[in-house]
Amino acid sequence: LGVGQAPIVQEMPVQSLVCNPPPNYTIAGTPETIRVKGVAWCGGGRGIGRVDVCLYGGTKFVAAELTKPIEQRRNRDWGWYHFHQDLPLSKEDRAKLAKGEKIQLDIVSKAMSGDFQVQPERMEPYWNARGVCINHWYHVPVSVDPKASADVRGPIGSSIQANTPSGGSAGFNVPWQEHGWDNKDLQATPDKSPGARRTWPHSQPDQYPRGTKI
């Protein structure tokens, strides 16, 4: 497919992502359920009708609970939806934890928009040369370790998700998946030289005051 054959993307497709647990996280202990939380949204003001989540790579989905901080009208539904659900571990995984064995989870989310468009499982059939349109299922690898004394956040760059843009190195201010508001590495001095790339690190909201020419 050439660039001239591809339509210009005007509206973002339905999307969702898991925010908690984060990628490469280790949960300590022997829990019977895992709480999954995230956000979902859709372009065109269509809103979100449902979000399904799964602990095992999409083999068995469960509908999540949806909440929204603001109320908006039909076809003007621009805001993000929050979702959460407590998902039970399988009988086999609970048995492994009871024996002291570490288990691996592949947490997945899948959203459906207000007009019944659903996130695809894979990216390839929907790739668009003029727009990203990467909205396939979001995968988060998580471990549960019964021998761990406390939860452990994974090392930066230890695993790259299939839908991580450009391997996480496309000029982001900090490595992809490590850009939360609690990140203490966002203290770099902004480059205000002519032609410098503009960045907006969360920890420096006033680095470019209103009216600043950059």
Side-chain angles (χ1 to χ4, degrees):
L1 180 67
V3 174
Q5 298 173 285
I8 296 174
V9 177
Q10 301 287 356
E11 297 176 352
M12 293 301 294
V14 59
Q15 304 188 47
S16 70
L17 58 90
V18 173
C19 300
N20 192 30
N24 312 308
Y25 197 75
T26 298
I27 299 172
T30 57
E32 294 188 355
T33 62
I34 303 295
R35 168 153 287 207
V36 175
K37 298 190 291 185
V39 293
W41 68 99
C42 185
R46 294 186 293 273
I48 297 296
R50 192 179 79 223
V51 176
D52 298 330
V53 288
C54 177
L55 295 179
Y56 299 101
T59 55
K60 184 178 181 180
F61 282 103
V62 175
E65 299 292 333
L66 291 178
T67 59
K68 192 180 180 187
I70 59 175
E71 293 292 332
Q72 294 178 307
R73 294 181 293 130
R74 183 175 181 273
N75 293 328
R76 295 293 186 273
D77 207 344
W78 313 109
W80 286 16
Y81 283 73
H82 300 183
F83 64 84
H84 71 274
Q85 186 56 272
D86 294 323
L87 298 176
L89 292 172
S90 68
K91 181 179 179 180
E92 293 76 16
D93 277 346
R94 292 198 303 271
K96 289 181 180 179
L97 292 175
K99 296 177 183 178
E101 299 178 17
K102 186 176 181 179
I103 64 171
Q104 303 292 330
L105 303 176
D106 178 14
I107 302 177
V108 179
S109 67
K110 176 185 65 171
M112 182 186 73
S113 68
D115 60 350
F116 302 98
Q117 302 299 312
V118 181
Q119 282 183 263
E121 180 177 359
R122 294 167 42 245
M123 174 190 71
E124 292 84 357
Y126 302 93
W127 181 82
N128 186 289
R130 282 188 173 176
V132 179
C133 282
I134 298 177
N135 71 323
H136 55 291
W137 296 357
Y138 188 83
H139 291 259
V140 176
V142 171
S143 303
V144 182
D145 189 350
K147 297 180 180 180
S149 58
D151 291 357
V152 179
R153 185 177 183 178
I156 295 175
S158 63
S159 176
I160 297 297
Q161 301 301 302
N163 52 355
T164 297
S166 304
S169 60
F172 292 103
N173 200 48
V174 292
W176 187 258
Q177 300 174 348
E178 297 295 332
H179 57 290
W181 284 272
D182 60 342
N183 194 303
K184 294 181 173 57
D185 298 325
L186 297 174
Q187 303 298 331
T189 302
D191 183 359
K192 298 183 181 180
S193 59
R197 179 180 179 272
R198 175 162 44 186
T199 59
W200 302 95
H202 294 299
S203 62
Q204 299 181 20
D206 299 322
Q207 69 166 338
Y208 293 109
R210 186 181 297 276
T212 301
K213 294 182 179 180
I214 58 175

